Amino acid sequence: MTQPHILIAGGGIGGLALALSLHQLGVRCTVYEQVRALKPLGVGINIQPNAVRELFDLGLTPAQLDKIGVPAREWALVGQKGQEIYAEPRGTDAGYRWPQYAAHRGQLHMLLYQTLVDRAGPEAVQLGAKISGYSILPEGGVTATINHTDGSHSIVEGTLLIGADGIHSAVRAQMHPHQPPIHWGGALMWRGTSRAKPVRTGSSFVGLGDHRQRMVIYPISAPDADGFATINWIAEVTLDETEARKSGWYKPAQLSDFAHHFDGWTYDWLDVPALLRGASEIYENPMIDRDPV
């Protein structure tokens, strides 16, 4: 019997985690990713206890996760006037067997990539190679068309093709050509990180504001000797449905694009305008999604 070979379209967090799982099972796989070089893109991400359990089962360690983030201890909902509405413990403080991690998305991505390359070899991830389409073979299996960044094309054959190529998936578009368009969720989000002192427990996930404009704030690094950590923040504003819909991912943005929505958000425990001004980079992305297939 021929050794199975799984083709994976997309080298994001999903595609790399899948490849690590297949390698652990002894199933050969190759990830095809369109960018020429993977970089630690993005800002903060919360890894819930059930996902941390899977990372541990894949052989990642708490020490590795501690290098890219911090265990989250609390979720707190706070009103626009700074008053606490609700709070609860998170992760092991809430009784889970596994922690919840607040981490840097790009560093998590690179950790998964490096772990896969170390275990399966550099040939397991083909960069500069986008799967643009596929054909089902009559005798079983599949061929995939690869578009390379040098302009060339190639065909690879595999046992199975899995599309992990994101919201603009070419695999999904071919499989479901009449799928509805991307949903515009009615909100724009601006994301960034700033160096500041953590609030509340020192590792709290804080939601601040109301349904029209709100902030999410949490640390993604341990404090330094002066008590400062890398604080991830998301500034979100609900827009009228008549405003232009967006369909992109991360796009560089300026503080002047949105900071005025949060003027006056200054409390004895947090200065939001100062936090925003401290950002080294800011990205805009819309709240978008697709229907399940």
Side-chain angles (χ1 to χ4, degrees):
M1 182 175 179
T2 304
Q3 169 77 12
H5 181 208
I6 310 302
L7 312 178
I8 301 173
I13 288 174
L16 294 175
L18 169 62
L20 281 168
S21 186
L22 290 170
H23 180 265
Q24 189 179 61
L25 294 170
V27 178
R28 187 166 69 99
C29 64
T30 305
V31 177
Y32 295 89
E33 167 55 46
Q34 64 180 328
V35 302
R36 291 174 183 247
L38 291 180
K39 298 178 181 179
L41 301 177
V43 282
I45 186 173
N46 254 268
I47 315 171
Q48 300 294 332
N50 59 334
V52 172
R53 176 190 64 186
E54 298 302 323
L55 293 177
F56 286 174
D57 285 348
L58 288 173
L60 299 183
T61 67
Q64 287 177 300
L65 294 185
D66 285 342
K67 290 181 180 180
I68 65 169
V70 291
R73 297 183 55 198
E74 180 194 45
W75 155 250
L77 182 62
V78 180
Q80 191 170 330
K81 295 182 179 180
Q83 76 281 17
E84 182 176 308
I85 297 172
Y86 176 77
E88 66 179 30
R90 305 298 289 172
T92 54
D93 286 0
Y96 288 99
R97 291 174 56 189
W98 305 274
Q100 173 178 327
Y101 269 88
H104 189 287
R105 182 216 168 273
Q107 292 176 14
L108 171 64
H109 188 198
M110 297 308 293
L111 174 60
L112 295 173
Y113 170 64
Q114 191 60 53
T115 302
L116 178 61
V117 169
D118 289 345
R119 294 179 184 179
E123 67 280 358
V125 182
Q126 299 294 315
L127 298 176
K130 174 183 173 61
I131 292 183
S132 59
Y134 65 88
S135 297
I136 303 296
L137 299 174
E139 64 277 14
V142 62
T143 61
T145 301
I146 313 295
N147 294 350
H148 301 275
T149 51
D150 63 4
S152 64
H153 306 275
S154 62
I155 303 293
V156 294
E157 183 174 336
T159 312
L160 182 71
L161 167 64
I162 299 176
D165 46 345
I167 198 166
H168 299 291
S169 168
V171 174
R172 173 176 161 144
Q174 180 177 340
M175 189 178 294
H176 300 278
H178 303 297
Q179 64 182 340
I182 292 172
H183 288 302
W184 158 239
L188 275 180
M189 295 176 286
W190 292 268
R191 300 172 181 261
T193 58
S194 305
R195 294 294 292 179
K197 292 186 176 181
V199 301
R200 296 180 65 92
T201 68
S203 189
S204 293
F205 187 100
V206 179
L208 170 66
D210 59 28
H211 71 287
R212 293 294 302 177
Q213 54 200 59
R214 49 205 165 270
M215 296 281 302
V216 175
I217 302 164
Y218 54 91
I220 57 174
S221 77
D224 60 19
D226 296 319
F228 286 79
T230 300
I231 307 298
N232 179 80
W233 52 261
I234 305 165
E236 181 180 323
V237 175
T238 299
L239 302 177
D240 293 333
E241 192 65 22
T242 55
E243 297 191 48
R245 298 184 176 209
K246 311 271 183 167
S247 61
W249 194 52
Y250 282 96
K251 180 179 77 172
Q254 300 297 318
L255 186 63
S256 57
D257 295 338
F258 66 96
H260 57 281
H261 292 290
F262 303 95
D263 288 343
W265 287 37
T266 305
Y267 318 101
D268 57 0
W269 54 279
L270 176 67
D271 186 336
V272 170
L275 182 70
L276 298 180
R277 288 194 301 270
S280 55
E281 293 180 297
I282 301 172
Y283 301 95
E284 174 194 293
N285 66 301
M287 185 175 287
I288 55 177
D289 205 354
R290 284 196 186 275
D291 286 334
V293 294

